Amino acid sequence: MARDSQAALVALNRFGFGPRGGASGDLVNAASDPRGFVKAELARPLGALLEAPGLQSTPQLAQAVFAYQDEVKQAREAAKAAAPTEAPVPQPANQKSENQLRRNLSLNTVASEISGQQMAEAKAADNKSADGAMKPEAMQPNAAAAPAAKQPLNVIQKTFRTEALARLQRAMLVDCGFTERLVVFWSNHFCISASKGELARMWAGAFEREAIRPHVLGRFADMLKAVEQHPAMLFFLDNQQSLGPDSRAGQNRKRGLNENLAREIMELHTLGVGGGYTQGDVTSLARIITGWTFAGRKGQLGAPGSFAFNANAHQPGPQLLLGRTYEANGLAQGEAALADIARHPSTANFIATKFVRHFVADDPPPALVARLRDVFVRTDGDLKALATALIDSDEAWKAPLTKMRSPYDFLVASGRLLARVPEDPGFYLGSLNLLGQPLWTPAGPNGFPDTAAAWAAPEGMKLRLDIASQMGARLGPNIDPLDLLEFAAADAASVETRRTIERAESRQQALALLLMSPEIQRR
Amino acid sequence: MIDCVENRLLTSRRGLLLGGAAFAAWAYLPKFARAADGRDPRLVVVILRGALDGLATVAPIGDPDYAGLHGSIALTADGAHAATRLDGFFALHPAMPEFARMYRDQHAAVIHAVSTPYRDRSHFDGQDVLESGYAGPGRVQSGWLNRALEALPRGERVSSGLAVGPTTPLVLRGAAPTVGWAPVALPQADDDTAMRLVDLYRHRDPALGSALTQGLQLEKAASGDDMKPKPGNQAAQMRQVARGAAKLMAADDGPRIAALAFDGWDTHANEGGPVGRLAFLLGGLDSALAEFESGLGDRWRDTIVVVATEFGRTARINGTDGTDHGTGTIALLAGGAVKGGRVISDWPGLKPANLYEGRDLKPTTDLRSVIKGVLQGQFGLSDQVLAQTVFPDSASARPMKGLVA
């Protein structure tokens, strides 16, 4: 087959996370069979699963949080008892690391004078670690490194970083990245926010691994059930607090419904606003899923941190939802309701529209949306069939590349192009915060926006340039920018982009400009 | 809960953009002074990336063809922004009063019509040649300054090189130990990069162009940016970098050899003459040299700062009041150890027939000879080591004599 660099750009950027630099040959491979290149990932049904050393299950993580909270509490009480008027006890680990740094080099003192900053954070760098400084993980600047060096991370911070690193490493290493893009899409569709509290932060990665990944090439109904029964979602949208007003717990505690999860299930997860449900349906669904919770630290309902159905909190009696009556059969009542909502025509339409908007265009071509909606209906929500239909569509290959890479996509695409696999997520987490897409932490339950307008904002562009320049300064000296342009776009690169890179005054500048070029920013 | 690392970033987003700093326990402690004459020599290499217009910095105002070639941006010896006369033929850009003072005190020298062996016009390749010390471009992973460091008797004099900035420049990369330092407040995206990107977007992606332009304007408005040196602009950065490096080098146990790079010299358009963009950058360089002088204190006596660039620019200005990639340019030496007060040049002349390829100041001096002369004068490296190890295959470029006082 003839080489088609333009189609390779689509295969790698619209469907994937961009080509990897170095010897990957991604662009060449994609150019020889663009559709096959993307589809190859769909042939590996377990390819979306993520297992890495140190990643734990949701109950294990819950126990760790509970243990940590106990420790903090005990330490606080002990401190109070010992010296009620004194300042908090210093943490021994801090002193140790400070001593180590002090020993390091007399010039530390000089340096602190120079910068007027806390140079105690200054890190050792002989020639070897100067090489290390070329890697993006070491691009983490002082501002970010500083607190880390001063205060040891607690178990929640460590877990968050471990989960983030595993996700980033996977994104850097996969061939095309289509499956990972699907993970990110569904994870954002069914988002939780790590800012909700310690449990949410602890669970953010596990939620995605357990509720999203196993189903991205499976059935929508299965994903929906896994998501709505995941402790992270139940915690994020407060369903563990929702009590059936007539349940035993509701009667005892004089408390009642919390509609939060039920509303978001219909508005954001399935039917969509205007999807044909009423406030009555919201209330009904809220009643139906009362008792959906997770076992707490005492483990009365099961292993702490595991999904539990609390019959005592469940609203008794049959419920009318979307014109259908659901009998009172405990947990099964809600599962039946979710299964029906999952195959509702409004859901098919809502999902198809969002899917096409994400992958093809901010204004989704109606014919393609209709075709995907039909596939969704016909296959009973088979997400692999949905993905295949997207790849098979001509629209997905012909629509102009007008989508803007989200900050996450941009950073991952840059890391891939530079053939870097991070060993520390710091640079990425910090950059995502800066660029307004903090990992697993959207501002609301509707997730991060998915249109060019949202990400091509003035401040965002300026900050992207700053970050690209930072990458250029760190990594530029070691790369040949024209080689990198070949890996990124080859003959699909515009004359202007090529010229801009050729004429840059330094490798550093050339790299920054390449990373900011339309060929990288658009997909 | 947001963990403290990220929270801190959220509250100070600009913080992320700041450069890194790195220190090492010295691999080898330098001996403080040279036994023979009590000198404790220091060397700073400053690389100007983007190809400095040597004819605009040290102008051959005595050459009858200069004014015509450099046209609207040519320097003159009189008028509102008169260039500083260095001798009967050359005059220094008025944005460099500190260098002019050092020159008068015989602590600064100019080498004109100089070039590396590189004769093409690619920044990347030109910088490779300048920094690697090899005669042609190639992806060699060590630089001449590092190899010079390696050639010094270990533990006797200078042992660790100081790389100033977010990365070690190629010139200082290699087997010999180096340490790195960068000022904490070093903004990364400079105006020149932004300008080039805006230009690319204007042609290829107007929507991104307008967003970026607005973003840049917002930032300028927020910081009240103009051409006056202040924290954050390029000139202020140069000074800050120099101040920090000088302080480190002034310490008794500090590094004796340092390398740093200043970007932004690729003056294709609106280069400016005695005032303008180039003047602004030269002002930054000038104040950086002054920072080295004051920061090194007594050590300045034993110091040489070498300022070099990958190549020069066309002798004739182009259609946008700038200059394009050329060949011959200048190198500057400053420091108490410089035998200064001289412009050293085998002047080729600027007649059309004398220009290199009809475009550029013809190089008549090999930059390697200049650097070899400095290395030999400061550290006593032998002809052989310089010709084989530091600058491989450079026997024909003999070390220039008498540069060091």
Side-chain angles (χ1 to χ4, degrees), chain A residues 105-107 123-125 127 141 157 201 434 456 458-459 462 466 474 477-478 496 503-505 509 516 522, chain B residues 1 3 6 13 16 20 23 26 123 127 173-174 176 178 189 192 196 201 204-205 211 219 253 264-266:
Chain A
L105 180 62
S106 60
L107 281 175
K123 285 197 277 182
N127 269 11
Q157 294 161 332
R201 192 157 195 83
L434 262 176
E459 181 70 0
K462 165 67 187 146
D466 287 342
R474 303 271 167 179
N478 284 343
E496 291 87 347
R503 291 183 179 174
E505 76 169 5
Q509 186 181 56
M516 290 305 291
R522 300 284 191 181
Chain B
M1 194 204 85
D3 72 43
E6 290 146 40
R13 333 178 289 175
L16 183 78
F23 280 92
W26 303 104
H123 290 302
Q127 287 163 25
R173 267 185 266 158
T178 61
D192 180 54
R196 288 168 194 250
Y201 284 167
R204 294 298 311 178
D205 203 325
E219 170 146 300
D253 58 351
W265 305 87
D266 195 10

Side-chain angles (χ1 to χ4, degrees), chain A residues 126-128 130-134 420 472-479 507-508, chain B residues 47 49 127-128 131-134 138-150 161-163 166-179 257-259 261 390:
Chain A
D126 56 12
N127 269 11
K128 271 185 189 155
D131 282 347
M134 307 290 172
R420 301 283 160 164
R474 303 271 167 179
L475 300 170
N478 284 343
I479 57 116
R507 286 194 166 84
Q508 290 89 324
Chain B
I47 291 164
R49 292 190 198 284
Q127 287 163 25
D128 261 3
E131 297 186 61
S132 72
Y134 281 72
R139 301 298 287 139
V140 181
Q141 280 306 322
S142 75
W144 58 260
L145 190 55
N146 189 286
R147 292 192 300 275
L149 203 56
E150 218 183 351
L162 173 68
T167 49
T168 308
L170 175 61
V171 70
L172 194 47
R173 267 185 266 158
T178 61
V179 291
I257 285 181
V390 179

Side-chain angles (χ1 to χ4, degrees), chain B residues 240-265:
Chain B
Q240 186 187 10
V241 160
R243 186 183 304 153
K247 195 144 189 180
L248 293 170
M249 294 184 80
D252 281 344
D253 58 351
R256 302 304 199 257
I257 285 181
L260 50 131
F262 293 142
D263 299 344
W265 305 87

Side-chain angles (χ1 to χ4, degrees), chain A residues 168-183:
Chain A
L168 286 162
Q169 289 181 333
R170 164 64 62 84
M172 298 294 167
L173 289 169
V174 287
D175 289 350
C176 168
F178 184 45
T179 307
E180 287 305 300
R181 284 280 305 281
L182 290 172
V183 169

Side-chain angles (χ1 to χ4, degrees), chain B residues 365-373 376 383-384 386-387 394-401:
Chain B
T365 299
D366 192 321
L367 180 63
R368 294 175 299 180
S369 295
V370 179
I371 295 168
K372 282 173 155 188
Q376 194 158 68
D383 281 10
Q384 198 189 355
L386 288 170
S394 68
S396 61
R398 308 277 308 157
M400 193 178 272
K401 301 290 177 195

Side-chain angles (χ1 to χ4, degrees), chain A residues 369-387:
Chain A
V369 172
R371 216 152 58 244
L372 292 200
R373 181 185 60 217
D374 293 347
V375 169
F376 190 94
V377 170
R378 196 175 64 240
T379 62
D380 198 17
D382 181 338
L383 299 182
K384 186 174 167 185
L386 191 74

